[in-house]
């Protein structure tokens, strides 16, 4: 395995070097970086041309300039990167830090959401092949896959920002809209749960009424501007996580696993009162400390209840603790939605990745940081959902028809064990490769998305470098995005070899 990893590292490094040479070459010879100054009539034109020549080292051959860039990048090993100056004399390293933070937080979040939601949808569609849910997922996948990124971004900008800001100023949901929401929720849930016609009708009726009642209640109490979960809903969310994790791991064969999850919830309730001050006015170190305390408590509880299944009990307890902590954080975030609206009447901006000079408590600051991520993240996630769901569905259908899966069923194993322990791991093998390619594709899509939403990220740096025929910003873009793409491909290869030992040879 070590030889395989070292070989992949060598190949990845070679690809990065060759790609950097090619990109630097075509950027340098794509135009004249002094063209705008040659046509200028400013009195200090000669001084400006001399300054730009000095900043970009235009008096040197292209290969010397490339070598100077390589030497500067090599200093990154000692944490002293020297990426040079751009055409205006600004330090590229400083600009790169700000731009990379904006782009990578956007792409990383979109990738994580696309993987989780897309793979889950693909698995459920495969398990319920040719059901209503399967048809809905298939239709949505082909629809999203065919949509241009810029068009989806413009639509979300109109309806998700401009019109939402108008609506949230005085929010209300009409009776017709509440009925439509209830019907759509009922149809989706009935198709997801499946069953015979009678069961589908009952599921549809109950879920539609619950959704209609919830929307009506929220409208009456002005929940849209003053939302909250409350301790009851937090407990229900954690309880759902405990039951789901117990079912996925041991089913109903060992109730001590469920008791571990329930005990974790009880300890979490006590913890909310003990750490209430930290929860209401936290800092990021305090949040990490509380999460660490939750995980440590869950490990102790899982070890105590686990018996001969200690490892499973510990993981179920940790999952329940994380769900409880996440729901608690979401509750505090929702409670600060109203104060955030008081500070910012139109919450979702159509330009930029944050509000300049915004000041407020911790949770309102999180809102300001997060709402700017919502629309561009949705754009990139929706585009990626199609490939993940379709590939996962196809891989799962191929896997569950294999002989070893039929053998597992013939031995009397439950469908839960067959799907989670025999089919799922093998079905995920081809998905690991798709993740790497999709990450690189998302970076390219982020360039367009950033242009529509006015983000000052890697896309803006890349475009500015091309426009000014300045290889500095272009190579800075390549240094981050190219390295990330190659690194993701290398991780995919290693994960592939881990999942299937035959790949190592």
């Amino acid at each position: 395995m070590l030889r395989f990893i070292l070989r992949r590292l060598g190949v990845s490094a070679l690809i990065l070097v060759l790609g950097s040479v090619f990109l630097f070459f075509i950027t340098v010879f794509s135009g004249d970086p002094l063209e705008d100054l040659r046509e200028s009539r400013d009195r200090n034109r000669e001084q400006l041309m001399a300054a730009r020549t000095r900043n970009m080292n235009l008096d040197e051959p292209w290969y010397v300039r490339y070598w100077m860039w390589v030497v500067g990048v090599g200093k990154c090993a000692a944490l002293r990167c020297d990426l040079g100056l751009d055409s205006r004399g600004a330090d590229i390293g400083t600009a790169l830090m700000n731009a990379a933070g904006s782009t990578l937080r956007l792409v990383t979040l979109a990738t994580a959401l696309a993987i989780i939601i897309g793979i889950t949808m693909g698995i459920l569609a495969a398990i319920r092949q040719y059901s209503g849910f399967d048809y809905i997922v298939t239709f949505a996948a082909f629809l999203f896959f065919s949509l241009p990124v810029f068009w989806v971004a413009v639509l979300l900008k109109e309806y998700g920002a401009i019109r939402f800001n108008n609506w949230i100023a005085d929010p209300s949901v009409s009776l017709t809209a509440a009925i439509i929401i209830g019907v759509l929720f009922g149809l989706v849930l009935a198709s997801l749960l499946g069953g015979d016609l009678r069961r589908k009708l009952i599921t549809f009726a109950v879920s539609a009424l619950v959704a209609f009642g919830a929307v009506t209640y929220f409208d009456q109490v002005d929940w849209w501007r003053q939302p909250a979960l409350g301790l009851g809903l937090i407990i229900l969310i954690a309880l759902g996580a405990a039951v789901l994790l117990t079912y996925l791991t041991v089913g109903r064969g060992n109730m001590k696993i469920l008791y571990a999850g329930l005990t974790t919830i009880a300890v979490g309730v006590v913890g909310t009162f003990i750490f209430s001050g930290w929860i209401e006015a936290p800092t990021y170190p305090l949040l990490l400390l509380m999460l660490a305390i939750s995980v440590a408590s869950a490990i102790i509880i899982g070890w105590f209840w686990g018996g001969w299944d200690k490892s499973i009990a510990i993981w179920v307890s940790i999952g329940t603790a994380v769900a409880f902590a996440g729901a608690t954080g979401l509750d505090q975030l929702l409670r600060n939605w109203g104060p955030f609206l008081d500070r910012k009447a139109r919450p979702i901006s159509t330009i930029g990745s944050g509000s300049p000079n915004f000041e407020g408590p911790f949770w309102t600051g999180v809102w300001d940081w997060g709402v700017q991520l919502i629309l561009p993240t949705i754009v990139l996630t929706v585009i990626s959902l199609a490939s993940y769901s379709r590939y996962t569905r196809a891989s799962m259908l191929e896997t569950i028809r294999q002989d070893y899966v039929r053998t597992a069923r013939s031995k009397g194993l439950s469908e839960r064990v067959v799907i989670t322990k025999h089919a799922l791991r093998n079905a995920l093998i081809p998905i690991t490769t798709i993740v790497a390619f999709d990450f690189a594709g998302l970076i390219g899509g982020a360039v367009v998305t950033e242009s529509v939403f006015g983000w000052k990220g890697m896309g803006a740096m890349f475009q500015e470098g091309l426009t000014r025929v300045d290889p500095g910003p272009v190579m800075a873009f390549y240094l981050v995005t190219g390295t990330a793409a190659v690194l993701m491909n290398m991780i995919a290869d290693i994960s592939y070899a881990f999942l299937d030992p035959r790949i190592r040879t």
Side-chain angles (χ1 to χ4, degrees):
M1 188 65 178
L2 181 60
R3 290 182 58 189
F4 177 83
I5 295 175
L6 293 176
R7 187 165 61 247
R8 295 307 304 165
L9 283 172
V11 172
S12 300
L14 179 61
I15 291 174
L16 278 175
V17 172
L18 294 178
S20 66
V21 173
F22 178 73
L23 183 60
F24 193 95
F25 179 83
I26 62 175
T27 303
V28 167
F29 291 99
S30 62
D32 182 9
L34 299 176
E35 181 178 2
D36 58 324
L37 295 180
R38 297 185 197 280
E39 299 174 355
S40 175
R41 295 184 179 180
D42 291 342
R43 294 181 179 179
N44 60 342
R45 185 187 68 170
E46 297 299 327
Q47 290 82 354
L48 292 175
M49 292 179 65
R52 184 174 298 183
T53 300
R54 183 175 59 256
N55 293 333
M56 299 176 60
N57 299 306
L58 296 178
D59 52 347
E60 301 286 351
W62 74 270
Y63 48 86
V64 174
R65 296 168 60 192
Y66 173 76
W67 178 249
M68 296 170 64
W69 178 81
V70 170
V71 171
V73 172
K75 295 180 181 178
C76 294
L79 302 180
R80 295 187 295 107
C81 291
D82 182 14
L83 302 182
L85 304 177
D86 64 10
S87 59
R88 294 171 297 185
D91 182 65
I92 297 177
T94 303
L96 177 63
M97 293 295 294
N98 298 327
S102 297
T103 298
L104 291 182
R105 80 182 187 189
L106 174 62
V107 173
T108 303
L109 180 60
T111 302
L113 290 176
I115 291 173
I116 295 172
I117 299 174
I119 290 179
T120 302
M121 291 172 59
I123 293 172
L124 294 175
I127 294 174
R128 300 197 174 279
Q129 187 182 16
Y130 301 133
S131 64
F133 179 78
D134 184 24
Y135 289 127
I136 292 174
V137 171
T138 301
F139 173 77
F142 283 114
L143 177 64
F144 294 151
F145 189 76
S146 61
L147 294 178
V149 175
F150 68 89
W151 187 71
V152 177
V154 171
L155 284 181
L156 277 177
K157 192 173 181 178
E158 171 66 24
Y159 292 96
I162 298 175
R163 300 201 181 189
F164 175 81
N165 289 335
N166 294 336
W167 177 80
I168 200 65
D170 186 19
S172 64
V173 179
S174 64
L175 179 62
T176 303
I179 293 174
I180 293 174
I181 293 173
V183 170
L184 292 176
F185 183 79
L187 288 174
V188 172
L189 195 60
S191 63
L192 176 60
L193 297 180
D196 54 20
L197 180 60
R198 181 173 178 273
R199 179 179 173 181
K200 288 181 179 179
L201 290 175
I202 293 175
T203 303
F204 168 76
V206 173
S207 56
L209 286 175
V210 169
F212 173 79
V215 171
T216 304
Y217 173 77
F218 290 160
D219 198 51
Q220 293 297 319
V221 299
D222 196 25
W223 191 87
W224 314 117
R225 290 186 64 89
Q226 298 174 343
L229 289 181
L231 185 59
L233 276 179
I234 293 174
I235 293 174
L236 285 178
I237 292 172
L239 180 61
V243 173
L244 178 62
L245 292 172
T246 302
Y247 174 77
L248 291 176
T249 52
V250 298
R252 290 174 289 182
N254 187 0
M255 293 304 294
K256 287 187 176 181
I257 305 298
L258 181 59
Y259 296 155
L262 296 178
T263 305
T264 302
I265 296 174
V267 173
V269 172
V270 176
T272 56
F273 293 101
I274 296 176
F275 299 104
S276 60
W278 286 7
I279 295 174
E280 293 174 1
T283 60
Y284 285 110
L286 284 181
L287 287 179
L288 292 176
L289 177 60
M290 287 188 286
L291 181 60
I293 294 173
S294 301
V295 173
S297 303
I299 293 174
I300 296 173
I301 294 170
W303 183 87
F304 176 80
W305 277 109
W308 50 272
D309 265 342
K310 278 187 171 58
S311 61
I312 296 178
I314 288 174
W315 282 113
V316 170
S317 298
I318 291 175
T320 305
V322 171
F324 191 96
T328 303
L330 178 62
D331 177 60
Q332 286 298 317
L333 196 60
L334 291 175
R335 291 179 185 274
N336 284 271
W337 173 246
F340 174 67
L341 290 178
D342 293 337
R343 288 178 168 82
K344 190 176 180 182
R346 299 184 68 80
I348 302 182
S349 303
T350 57
I351 299 295
S353 56
S355 302
N357 303 320
F358 181 87
E359 296 181 359
F362 177 84
W363 291 111
T364 54
V366 173
W367 271 119
D368 180 63
W369 180 83
V371 292
Q372 313 305 326
L373 275 173
I374 292 176
L375 297 185
T377 299
I378 290 176
V379 173
L380 297 178
T381 303
V382 162
I383 299 301
S384 298
L385 276 179
S387 58
Y388 282 118
S389 62
R390 295 309 296 168
Y391 278 114
T392 303
R393 179 184 181 274
S395 183
M396 276 293 294
L397 288 176
E398 181 181 359
T399 302
I400 61 180
R401 291 168 183 165
Q402 298 296 317
D403 291 339
Y404 66 88
V405 176
R406 286 195 290 267
T407 302
R409 286 198 177 102
S410 66
K411 288 164 56 178
L413 297 178
S414 65
E415 190 66 15
R416 174 190 62 82
V417 175
V418 171
I419 295 298
T420 58
K421 293 188 176 181
H422 290 76
L424 183 57
R425 176 172 175 174
N426 290 288
L428 291 179
I429 291 176
I431 307 301
T432 56
T433 303
I434 299 170
V435 171
F437 288 108
D438 184 71
F439 186 82
L442 276 181
I443 293 176
V447 174
V448 180
T449 305
E450 289 175 6
S451 299
V452 176
F453 290 102
W455 276 53
K456 296 298 182 181
M458 301 297 296
M461 174 177 283
F462 181 73
Q463 288 181 331
E464 182 178 351
L466 289 180
T467 303
R468 294 177 175 270
V469 197
D470 187 356
V474 175
M475 297 307 294
F477 174 87
Y478 175 82
L479 182 64
V480 174
T481 57
T483 302
V486 172
L487 183 62
M488 288 295 294
N489 276 277
M490 185 186 67
I491 293 174
D493 289 339
I494 296 173
S495 301
Y496 211 103
F498 175 77
L499 291 171
D500 188 353
R502 295 172 299 178
I503 303 299
R504 302 173 193 173
T505 58

